[in-house]
């Protein structure tokens, strides 16, 4: 699908150049630069999600995930809902783990302050509310998996694979 979008962008660019609409072409280039869909290029979407995690931008992460939810995930068959939810939980956990690993307790506290209303009703987060109070959470049997490089890499690959599969199956319009 990303190849289709890139080809479509090229065709529109060629048309605008052919017609001499250079101002419109410049506007298109600016809009494409800030395209939240990232041209449905999986690498760019995963990169954007991870950049929000690494930069502790919880609001950006939530906003981008909500955008993906509205534009992409909501159009999927209901059989994919569980996978979408698991990936969302994992990306949020990666945010928390990253904040702990980089010694940013302020970001861990901020996360739970902002997200507690949403997360407290979900059983899969029950154990996580104790995390800010643990001295070495990476040594705790509940959390040690999430602090492993293997889990983080597996999450990135899973996210990439899931998005690749659904974009291949989606229709553009």
């Amino acid at each position: 699908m990303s190849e289709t979008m890139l080809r479509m962008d090229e065709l529109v660019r060629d048309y605008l150049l052919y017609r001499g609409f250079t101002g419109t072409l410049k506007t298109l280039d600016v809009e494409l630069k800030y395209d939240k869909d990232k041209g449905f290029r999986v690498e760019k979407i995963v990169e954007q999600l991870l950049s929000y995690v690494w930069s502790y931008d919880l609001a950006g992460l939530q906003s981008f995930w909500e955008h993906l939810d509205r534009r992409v995930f909501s159009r999927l068959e209901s059989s994919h809902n569980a996978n979408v939810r698991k990936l969302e939980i994992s990306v949020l956990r990666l945010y928390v783990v990253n904040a702990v690993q980089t010694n940013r307790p302020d970001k861990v506290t901020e996360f739970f302050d902002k997200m507690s209303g949403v997360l407290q009703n979900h059983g899969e987060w029950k154990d996580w509310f104790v995390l800010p109070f643990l001295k070495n959470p990476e040594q705790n049997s509940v959390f040690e998996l999430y602090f492993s490089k293997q889990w983080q890499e597996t999450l990135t690959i899973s996210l990439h694979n899931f998005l690749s599969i659904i974009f291949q199956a989606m229709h553009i319009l």
Side-chain angles (χ1 to χ4, degrees):
M1 183 156 166
S2 64
E3 294 84 24
T4 305
M5 295 293 287
L6 291 173
R7 181 67 183 137
M8 187 65 74
D9 289 346
E10 287 176 32
L11 290 173
V12 170
R13 266 196 188 90
D14 289 347
Y15 174 77
L16 293 175
L17 279 173
Y18 173 76
R19 294 292 312 266
F21 299 142
T22 56
T24 305
L25 179 60
K26 287 179 186 176
T27 302
L28 174 66
D29 287 337
V30 168
E31 298 229 357
L32 287 174
K33 183 178 178 183
Y34 296 106
D35 177 25
K36 275 192 161 186
D37 294 325
K38 305 293 179 196
F40 292 105
R41 290 178 293 186
V42 172
E43 302 81 27
K44 294 291 185 183
I45 292 171
V46 171
E47 181 181 302
Q48 184 66 55
L49 284 167
L50 294 177
S51 76
Y52 288 131
V53 169
W54 306 146
S55 64
Y56 316 104
D57 186 355
L58 181 58
L61 180 61
Q62 286 180 289
S63 174
F64 192 56
W65 192 271
E66 288 168 5
H67 174 79
L68 290 174
D69 203 27
R70 274 192 317 277
R71 291 271 293 142
V72 179
F73 303 145
S74 65
R75 297 176 186 203
L76 299 174
E77 294 177 14
S78 60
S79 62
H80 294 292
N81 290 347
N83 291 330
V84 170
R85 179 77 181 127
K86 286 177 187 175
L87 286 171
E88 179 182 18
I89 290 167
S90 294
V91 169
L92 291 173
R93 286 180 175 171
L94 180 62
Y95 178 93
V96 174
V97 167
N98 176 58
V100 170
Q101 286 180 322
T102 56
N103 201 26
R104 292 296 305 265
D106 58 318
K107 294 299 179 180
V108 176
T109 302
E110 176 188 350
F111 175 85
F112 285 107
D113 286 346
K114 290 184 177 179
M115 300 295 290
S116 63
V118 176
L119 302 179
Q120 68 185 358
N121 297 324
H122 299 284
E124 60 267 0
W125 284 97
K126 181 183 65 150
D127 294 335
W128 284 77
F129 283 96
V130 74
L131 188 113
F133 306 104
L134 294 175
K135 192 163 183 95
N136 295 310
E138 65 279 357
Q139 295 174 359
N140 184 295
S141 62
V142 174
F143 303 111
E144 66 183 336
L145 167 70
Y146 303 101
F147 285 87
S148 72
K149 188 168 179 66
Q150 182 181 2
W151 179 81
Q152 295 174 16
E153 290 173 354
T154 301
L155 170 60
T156 303
I157 292 167
S158 297
L159 192 56
H160 187 279
N161 289 345
F162 181 74
L163 291 170
S164 294
I165 290 168
I166 63 171
F167 286 161
Q168 288 295 323
M170 277 182 57
H171 300 288
I172 292 177
L173 300 176

